[in-house]
Amino acid sequence: CLSLKFSGSNTLKAGTSKGVADINLTNHKVTFHPLDFLAKNFISGNFITYLLKDKNNVWWLFPWRYGIWITDSSCRNFHQEFNNFLVENDRPKPLVIADAAEDKNGNLWFADLDEGIIFYNSKTHTFSKPFTKWLGEQNSMSQILFYRDQCFSFSGTDIYTWNPDNFQIEKINLPSQNDK
């Protein structure tokens, strides 16, 4: 299990190596929702690295190196929203999302282990990499956080913060004794 999220007052939704699991905290019943349709084409298709429930109660799922998927709370209606930006060896290089957060505007921000920070505009339903100019085409980001109207992420020992309203990004410089 790599990700646990509340899906109700007495239930958890878990991203696991066998798909998505619903866990009832009252009776301890576990119901698995394997993504067999992914696993038959991609050995780690059932390996869900992270889950996010947005303000519209849509569940965003991130199978290992298989892009961005959404489903309803029943986990019966899966479909892929986005797969890749980059192409490697004439093949799409699927995203590997490690973390995600929703900002105050209902937009989503994703931390990708290969491509850095990815933005989803909820009004236009489009994906972009808004900080490529500053961070490069490939950059490993493993966490993302929305806190007090600011987004935060890090790559290696570099911490970044940006305002989701104007996309102004800046690097937070740490004291040299903390740069390890």
Side-chain angles (χ1 to χ4, degrees):
C1 178
L2 291 178
S3 183
L4 285 173
K5 300 292 178 182
F6 279 102
S7 61
S9 59
N10 294 318
T11 56
L12 294 174
K13 199 167 284 294
T16 77
S17 60
K18 295 183 179 182
V20 178
D22 288 319
I23 304 166
N24 184 308
L25 299 175
T26 305
N27 63 17
H28 301 253
K29 181 181 174 189
V30 178
T31 305
F32 274 95
H33 307 282
L35 283 70
D36 292 332
F37 60 95
L38 289 179
K40 71 180 178 183
N41 296 323
F42 191 66
I43 195 159
S44 58
N46 263 331
F47 187 53
I48 308 301
T49 59
Y50 196 75
L51 300 165
L52 174 72
K53 182 179 173 183
D54 70 17
K55 71 178 183 178
N56 297 318
N57 295 319
V58 172
W59 283 94
W60 295 74
L61 311 173
F62 311 102
W64 180 256
R65 294 205 180 279
Y66 221 105
I68 298 172
W69 291 71
I70 63 171
T71 188
D72 58 12
S73 61
S74 72
C75 289
R76 291 191 188 111
N77 302 304
F78 291 96
H79 73 274
Q80 190 174 48
E81 281 291 297
F82 194 73
N83 187 47
N84 67 295
F85 287 102
L86 298 176
V87 174
E88 196 171 78
N89 299 322
D90 296 325
R91 297 180 67 184
K93 185 178 188 321
L95 297 171
V96 58
I97 303 294
D99 199 4
E102 185 172 19
D103 68 24
K104 65 182 178 183
N105 303 315
N107 297 314
L108 302 179
W109 296 89
F110 307 101
D112 186 82
L113 294 176
D114 293 330
E115 299 201 38
I117 298 167
I118 297 169
F119 173 70
Y120 173 74
N121 185 315
S122 62
K123 289 184 177 70
T124 63
H125 305 286
T126 56
F127 292 85
S128 65
K129 292 176 22 178
F131 305 125
T132 301
K133 178 180 172 184
W134 296 277
L135 303 175
E137 192 66 37
Q138 290 186 285
N139 195 313
S140 182
M141 299 286 184
S142 60
Q143 291 186 326
I144 201 155
L145 173 71
F146 178 73
Y147 180 70
R148 294 189 178 174
D149 297 336
Q150 287 288 117
C151 290
F152 298 86
S153 190
F154 68 91
S155 177
T157 59
D158 296 332
I159 299 173
Y160 298 95
T161 184
W162 64 94
N163 181 321
D165 291 328
N166 62 18
F167 292 67
Q168 295 296 314
I169 190 167
E170 67 180 80
K171 181 178 168 185
I172 297 173
N173 292 313
L174 298 174
S176 61
Q177 64 269 25
N178 292 344
D179 189 11
K180 298 191 184 329

